[in-house]
Amino acid sequence: MIGSIKNVAITGGTHGNELTGVHLVKHWSKSPEEVSRGSFETELHLANPKANAEVRRYIDHDLNRQFNLKDLNNPDLQGYEQQQAKSLNALLGPKEEPRVDFILDLHTTTANMGMSLIINTDDPLVVGMAFYIKQKMPQATLFFNPSDRIKDNFLTSLGRLNGFLIEVGPIAQGLLNYQVYKDTHTAVMHALDYLEQRNTGQVIDLPTQMDGYQFMEKVALPEGSEGEITAMIHPNLQNKDYQAIKPGDPLFMTLGGETIVYEGTSTVYGAFINEAAYYDQHVGLSFMEKVNIKLTDD
Ligand SMILES: [Zn+2]
């Protein structure tokens, strides 16, 4: 039994150049009635203010990779985001026994992923929330990447019941776009309504399973002998997030115009295709597999 939800945190700007979450948090700070529900407290936080002031993803390290327990407890990690992660752990956690029950972390992507609900747990409360939102917003995609909460390095893993990321795109870094803003706003309203209905014992009619995509691996951009990028996402693949990539389908186009194909033996699906934030690591896309996500009983 999960028990009731008492404290919910909405975080924005974990990546400082993803302005949708930043401005939603600012908006709700002035209009808290939109995010308040009778049965729990909602708190709002800007997760990475320094990076946000510079409209950069991060200052020293990606903040959304700093939250596994070992790193939080490692005093040698003193980069800006590593310190910020420790502050957020003190504010929302501590990770081993968190004060906050659930964290909604708001992100955007330059990839054509539409509304993606990223769930890092098979916990029925979290999976149920994703199913609830997808019922209300059928265009949403469930992005399933289950991991152990204590080892997970995402900000959402500070929540007692984990939480999830709302990841909307395509939108360039450093931009606002009303449709993206409005869709993210709508998804958060559904998320809070779901928690309110659960807390107050209302019967929520949800399916026992839904289709989604499970993360398999990141795929590197082709590199030359000195580690330089030698190819880009193939034009046939651009914007084709969550569509099938079959053996022999084009993946990359070299600088000279030669096609590089997918040499795997099974069909996969792309996500984060040509995500700008991953160029620092020379990552071109993620491979996903289609999965059936089950909603188990509490
Ligand atoms: Zn992000």
Side-chain angles (χ1 to χ4, degrees), residues 14-15 18 57 64 106-109 165 167:
T14 301
H15 294 133
E18 296 175 5
R57 182 175 174 88
N64 210 29
L106 309 181
H107 289 256
T108 57
T109 170
L165 282 75
E167 177 92 61

Side-chain angles (χ1 to χ4, degrees), residues 65-240:
R65 304 290 183 271
Q66 306 303 325
F67 293 93
N68 87 53
L69 184 62
K70 244 166 103 187
D71 290 345
L72 289 170
N73 290 337
N74 181 349
D76 295 335
L77 302 180
Q78 287 298 330
Y80 173 69
E81 279 80 11
Q82 292 162 339
Q83 294 181 46
Q84 194 62 16
K86 291 175 170 73
S87 304
L88 287 162
N89 188 41
L91 179 69
L92 305 172
K95 181 139 181 167
E96 305 93 314
E97 202 182 331
R99 175 183 64 82
V100 163
D101 297 300
F102 196 92
I103 299 174
L104 280 166
D105 193 27
L106 309 181
H107 289 256
T108 57
T109 170
T110 65
N112 186 30
M113 289 167 66
M115 157 82 51
S116 294
L117 306 172
I118 301 183
I119 39 185
N120 281 15
T121 169
D122 56 8
D123 185 291
L125 178 124
V126 182
V127 173
M129 179 183 281
F131 283 16
Y132 180 87
I133 295 173
K134 187 165 169 64
Q135 276 189 327
K136 306 279 182 189
M137 305 177 82
Q139 75 277 19
T141 301
L142 307 182
F143 184 117
F144 191 49
N145 186 24
S147 69
D148 177 72
R149 187 183 75 78
I150 293 295
K151 288 185 194 146
D152 192 304
N153 56 12
F154 279 16
L155 169 57
T156 46
S157 71
L158 285 183
R160 182 172 64 91
L161 296 165
N162 217 310
F164 70 67
L165 282 75
I166 298 176
E167 177 92 61
V168 188
I171 181 170
Q173 298 175 339
L175 274 193
L176 284 169
N177 169 306
Y178 186 66
Q179 192 64 47
V180 170
Y181 178 90
K182 185 165 157 266
D183 287 348
T184 308
H185 185 291
T186 303
V188 171
M189 292 299 111
H190 290 316
L192 298 174
D193 291 344
Y194 166 82
L195 292 175
E196 176 77 352
Q197 289 175 32
R198 273 194 75 119
N199 264 356
T200 55
Q202 295 179 53
V203 177
I204 308 174
D205 191 20
L206 294 175
T208 54
Q209 49 184 26
M210 275 186 152
D211 287 338
Y213 297 86
Q214 183 158 350
F215 175 78
M216 296 168 69
E217 59 177 320
K218 288 182 173 173
V219 183
L221 290 162
E223 293 177 343
S225 55
E226 286 165 27
E228 76 283 12
I229 290 174
T230 56
M232 60 203 89
I233 290 293
H234 195 279
N236 290 5
L237 184 59
Q238 180 66 42
N239 296 332
K240 302 284 174 59

Side-chain angles (χ1 to χ4, degrees), residues 58 217-233 252 272-286:
Y58 56 81
E217 59 177 320
K218 288 182 173 173
V219 183
L221 290 162
E223 293 177 343
S225 55
E226 286 165 27
E228 76 283 12
I229 290 174
T230 56
M232 60 203 89
I233 290 293
F252 302 112
F272 289 109
I273 295 173
N274 219 7
E275 164 58 55
Y278 296 161
Y279 268 67
D280 60 353
Q281 304 159 52
H282 294 189
V283 167
L285 71 155
S286 294

